[in-house]
Amino acid sequence: MVHALRAVVCLSLWLSVCQVRGSYIPQEMNKTIQNLLQHYKIPVRERFNGRPVFSRDLLNGKMETKVVFMGAVLDTYKKLIEHMMKQVPSPHIAGTQVPPASAVAPAVPTAAPGTASNAEAGGLRKELGYILTKIKFLKRHYNEQETLLHGLQKLRDIKMDDMVVQSKALWELPWLYEEASTLITRNKERRRRRRQTRKFKTRPQLH
């Protein structure tokens, strides 16, 4: 009973937050999301289980961190929506009669949650496509962050056991080490100037 009440309270708070913080979300987009949630239904206890897909912890950091994080989030959303669209049955498949269970071997379902007729499948594709368009439009403002993310991905994919990579990395280390040290110095100087500016602004004016 306590868990159910807690879930209801969380749901109410979530709905109120969505209404208040929707100044950048077009009414059509909000309505489309609500329609999609009717198809992608999950229990309330799962929606509010304390484990969000996208953590907001990094949004409490510096602006540079927030921008990079949001660029990664939008890129992940793009891939996720594209994957969801692939899961929606094609119109000619969605309307095909399903053979009896005894005639086919059991298999793990891979389609999107719920079942869809031809009309429903077409509607899902259209609504997911609309959401994908909005994400891509917003993502255009994060081109620099996307380039950075691709660069970070390449760093993660470096072949550590490759002798050529090891030798070239050692060769490139001096100037990279110098650049990294310079950035630290510049960052410290910028912080120092910022503190001095704040002190000057808060200093009482003499008349």
Side-chain angles (χ1 to χ4, degrees):
M1 182 65 180
V2 175
H3 293 292
L5 289 174
R6 184 180 301 170
V8 172
V9 171
C10 290
L11 178 60
S12 301
L13 289 173
W14 178 70
L15 290 174
S16 63
V17 168
C18 286
Q19 292 174 357
V20 172
R21 301 190 61 184
S23 58
Y24 289 99
I25 302 179
Q27 184 176 359
E28 182 181 356
M29 183 177 181
N30 192 39
K31 181 179 178 181
T32 302
I33 293 174
Q34 299 306 316
N35 290 340
L36 288 169
L37 287 174
Q38 294 302 311
H39 179 77
Y40 295 91
K41 288 183 178 180
I42 60 174
V44 175
R45 65 178 181 274
E46 291 293 337
R47 191 176 304 282
F48 301 102
N49 60 5
R51 298 191 298 273
V53 177
F54 301 99
S55 174
R56 300 185 181 184
D57 293 343
L58 291 177
L59 293 178
N60 297 324
K62 297 180 180 180
M63 180 59 66
E64 294 85 352
T65 303
K66 293 180 181 179
V67 172
V68 173
F69 176 68
M70 289 310 303
V73 168
L74 290 174
D75 187 61
T76 303
Y77 262 114
K78 173 181 171 294
K79 295 176 181 177
L80 176 62
I81 299 299
E82 288 174 342
H83 182 74
M84 292 166 69
M85 291 181 68
K86 292 178 181 178
Q87 287 184 318
V88 177
S90 300
H92 66 281
I93 297 178
T96 304
Q97 185 177 1
V98 179
S102 59
V104 295
V108 179
T110 57
T115 56
S117 62
N118 277 329
E120 291 172 339
L124 279 175
R125 284 183 175 276
K126 182 178 179 180
E127 291 180 331
L128 288 171
Y130 168 74
I131 296 298
L132 181 61
T133 300
K134 301 300 291 185
I135 291 173
K136 286 182 176 180
F137 177 80
L138 185 59
K139 190 171 175 288
R140 292 190 307 175
H141 298 278
Y142 289 84
N143 289 334
E144 185 176 346
Q145 287 69 38
E146 184 175 3
T147 302
L148 172 60
L149 291 172
H150 286 316
L152 293 174
Q153 181 64 40
K154 289 182 179 179
L155 289 176
R156 190 166 57 182
D157 295 337
I158 284 179
K159 299 177 181 179
M160 301 291 181
D161 296 328
D162 192 323
M163 177 70 75
V164 174
V165 171
Q166 295 170 352
S167 181
K168 291 177 69 174
L170 287 172
W171 175 263
E172 298 167 10
L173 179 58
W175 73 266
L176 282 170
Y177 192 92
E178 180 71 19
E179 183 67 20
S181 301
T182 302
L183 287 175
I184 292 176
T185 303
R186 290 176 182 173
N187 193 36
K188 287 182 178 179
E189 182 65 21
R190 186 176 60 178
R191 289 181 180 177
R192 186 183 64 81
R193 289 197 300 266
R194 191 176 300 167
R195 286 196 299 267
Q196 290 178 344
T197 302
R198 281 200 296 263
K199 287 181 180 179
F200 179 78
K201 289 182 179 180
T202 56
R203 185 180 301 171
Q205 299 294 327
L206 298 178
H207 298 282

